[in-house]
Amino acid sequence: MPFAHWNADRAAAIVAAQANREGALLPVLHALDHAFGHVPDAAVPIIAQALNLSRAEVHGVISFYHDFKTTPPPPHVLKLCRAEACQARGGEAMAARTLARLADRADIAIEAVYCLGLCASGPAAMFDGRLAARLDDDRLTAIVEAAG
Ligand code: FES
C-alpha cells in the first residue's frame, strides 16, 4: 500500500480524530504511521499540542517503540524467500549476492520472507507486491531495474 506524502494539515486532522481517546498517544502514532509510513519529527509538536504533552514525552514514546520510523520507507520493497525449498534451489546464495549488489540502493528495502507459496519453482521473491519465481541473478536484476 503506498503511503501518503507527509502533510501537516492531514496529520493534524488524524491527530484530532484520535485526541479524545483515553491513552491517545499510541493510537495517534499508529494512525500517523499507517497514513504516512513513518512518524517524522515534524509530527511531534502537532501531537504534543493536541494531547497536551511535552515534545520530549512524545519523542520519548516514538523512540521507545522501534516500530515507529521517523524517516519515510523506501519506495520499493524486495522480499527474498529464505525458506528451505528456495534455499535448496540456490536462493540463499542468490540472496547474498543480491544484498551485496543492491547495498547502495536506498530506494529499495530488502526483507527476508519465509515462503511465498512458490516452493516448487524457487528461488522466489516478491518485488513491490508482485511474485516472481524461478529467479536467477539476471532475472532478479531485470525485475528490480525495470522499476527504475
Ligand atoms: S520456500 Fe520459497 S516459496 Fe516456499
Side-chain angles (χ1 to χ4, degrees):
M1 179 200 65
F3 295 110
H5 287 292
W6 169 252
N7 175 301
D9 289 340
R10 179 151 177 223
I14 290 170
V15 174
Q18 308 275 347
N20 291 328
R21 291 176 64 161
E22 187 147 338
L25 182 52
L26 277 177
V28 159
L29 294 175
H30 280 293
L32 291 172
D33 189 57
H34 188 73
F36 301 111
H38 68 300
V39 183
D41 290 342
V44 172
I46 297 170
I47 300 167
Q49 190 181 15
L51 303 189
N52 204 17
L53 298 169
S54 73
R55 293 182 186 198
E57 286 172 302
V58 175
H59 184 74
V61 171
I62 292 171
S63 47
F64 179 79
Y65 291 98
H66 298 291
D67 280 352
F68 295 124
K69 307 288 180 235
T70 56
T71 53
H76 302 294
V77 181
L78 174 62
K79 298 182 179 192
L80 297 170
C81 181
R82 311 293 290 272
E84 218 167 278
C86 285
Q87 268 189 37
R89 291 169 179 266
E92 202 58 27
M94 190 186 73
R97 290 190 299 271
T98 302
L99 285 171
R101 202 167 56 245
L102 299 179
D104 293 339
R105 293 284 300 263
D107 60 329
I108 302 175
I110 303 175
E111 301 172 359
V113 286
Y114 293 90
C115 199
L116 291 163
L118 297 169
C119 316
S121 46
M126 182 185 276
F127 186 67
D128 289 346
R130 290 205 176 146
L131 288 167
R134 295 195 173 84
L135 289 169
D136 56 26
D137 289 39
D138 289 346
R139 285 203 62 217
L140 187 54
T141 299
I143 290 168
V144 169
E145 294 302 322

